[in-house]
Amino acid sequence: MQAWRVHENGEPGAVMRREEADVPEPGPGQVLLRVRAANVNFPDALLCRGHYQIRPPLPFTPGVEICGETPDGRRVIATAALPHGGFAEHALADAAGLLPAPDALDDAEAAALHIGYQTGWFGLHRRAALQAGETLLVHAAAGGVGSAAVQLGKAAGATVIGVVGGPGKVAAARALGCDVVIDRRSEDVVAAVKAATAGRGADVIYDPVGGEAYQQSAKCVAFEGRIVVVGFASGTIPAPALNHALVKNYTIHGLHWGLYAQRDPAAVLQCHETLTALAAKGVVKPLVAERVPFAGAADAVQRVADGTTTGRLVVLPEGARA
């Protein structure tokens, strides 16, 4: 089969190689999936660089989030079982973790529903207990992770403020339904959030960026607000001043969605059922900016690594319908 494999760590565009590989053999509890679509995630870039918390043995195939087909013909979404990821004609996944692909979504959209939307749902509801009428601030609102949080925030009845970088992403965030959009490249984020909330600040802040974005969050979070730390796409892990959280009465929530898959799989299934229902109503729909031909997988991962993309890039195997 054709697969993109990493033989040494480095930048995705340099170390991902397209080559012929053996079809992987499922281990105990695993299933072989024919890949219908593979979503590009920032962790794919971190895996290539050797910077992710999981370091699969070399060589490995990245592509952690897929829509695939089981040997008995079921259309499913899954987290690929590394080292046999989704940027290949076939991938492995744990049979217990398979979820039915929503009928309302095509293969590319279904591939992008799993990790980002599950993370958003657990972050906003399980960790931050977002309530209707509250104000939600989403950093990188036009990106793959942020766009999911925007849609879920709107579905929950929140007023959503999106922070983005550049005019193109401003337009995308508005199209997603953000009530207020702030361009961090031309506006003072803290001042703009306070102006939009009459000085109160945001009740819940969803931060997949870290670095300067977190510092801004601490300055514009409301009394008894909640900051949900999802990741560090900026490459900088902030060091929160805990005395500031004490003085201002806000809480900092960490979120590692993978722990729910390990420790509370029933909650993951319940979340998927909720997301499927929202997709059927048209309330959530992954923002697939590009359906990338298989030959462009390495370039797609590199662009996500560089932070130049809007929405999701989804890699399609050769012969797949766009």
Side-chain angles (χ1 to χ4, degrees):
M1 69 170 186
Q2 286 288 296
W4 283 91
R5 299 211 292 175
V6 174
H7 291 261
E8 60 184 0
N9 294 125
E11 287 302 298
V15 300
M16 287 179 62
R17 304 181 199 167
R18 182 179 178 177
E19 58 192 32
E20 191 68 22
D22 293 333
V23 175
E25 289 286 339
Q30 293 183 330
V31 63
L32 178 69
L33 298 177
R34 180 176 70 83
V35 177
R36 298 174 65 117
N39 181 45
V40 181
N41 283 273
F42 190 69
D44 292 318
L46 296 180
L47 283 164
C48 290
R49 292 168 173 167
H51 294 168
Y52 199 53
Q53 56 258 44
I54 298 170
R55 298 192 69 173
L58 297 169
F60 68 88
T61 296
V64 297
E65 184 176 30
I66 61 175
C67 175
E69 186 176 317
T70 64
D72 60 3
R74 288 179 295 136
R75 183 170 165 263
V76 298
I77 60 176
T79 302
L82 299 177
H84 301 291
F87 300 140
E89 294 181 271
H90 293 86
L92 296 182
D94 292 332
L98 300 182
L99 298 169
D103 292 335
L105 304 178
D106 65 23
D107 291 341
E109 292 164 342
L113 181 75
H114 193 30
I115 298 173
Y117 281 86
Q118 287 259 348
T119 298
W121 192 90
F122 276 97
L124 298 180
H125 294 288
R126 184 89 169 229
R127 303 295 285 145
L130 178 68
Q131 302 296 310
E134 289 191 313
T135 297
L136 167 66
L137 171 64
V138 179
H139 289 285
V145 174
S147 61
V150 168
Q151 292 182 354
L152 291 170
K154 293 299 295 181
T159 297
V160 179
I161 301 173
V163 178
V164 299
K169 295 189 177 185
V170 168
R174 285 181 178 150
L176 283 165
C178 286
D179 299 281
V180 177
V181 182
I182 301 168
D183 186 346
R184 59 179 174 79
R185 295 181 181 174
S186 60
E187 300 178 73
D188 182 316
V189 172
V190 175
V193 172
K194 290 185 176 179
T197 58
R200 184 173 184 277
D203 299 292
V204 175
I205 299 179
Y206 191 80
D207 181 13
V209 179
E212 184 182 6
Y214 178 84
Q215 303 305 325
Q216 294 165 342
S217 299
K219 293 177 181 177
C220 62
V221 64
F223 171 73
E224 293 195 327
R226 292 87 76 196
I227 300 174
V228 184
V229 178
V230 181
F232 312 106
S234 67
T236 301
I237 299 176
L242 296 184
N243 62 314
H244 188 259
L246 182 151
V247 169
K248 202 171 177 180
N249 274 32
Y250 63 87
T251 54
I252 304 165
H253 296 274
L255 176 64
H256 177 192
W257 170 75
L259 290 179
Y260 289 102
Q262 295 175 20
R263 302 191 179 194
D264 195 353
V268 172
L269 179 58
Q270 181 182 30
C271 175
H272 180 67
E273 291 171 350
T274 299
L275 293 174
T276 299
L278 292 173
K281 295 176 182 177
V283 176
V284 302
K285 187 179 181 70
L287 176 61
V288 178
E290 292 182 48
R291 288 164 166 80
V292 180
F294 189 74
D299 176 68
V301 178
Q302 187 63 60
R303 284 188 286 146
V304 169
D306 294 340
T308 60
T309 58
T310 297
R312 290 294 192 182
L313 306 187
V314 180
V315 175
L316 301 178
E318 290 183 352
R321 290 182 299 173

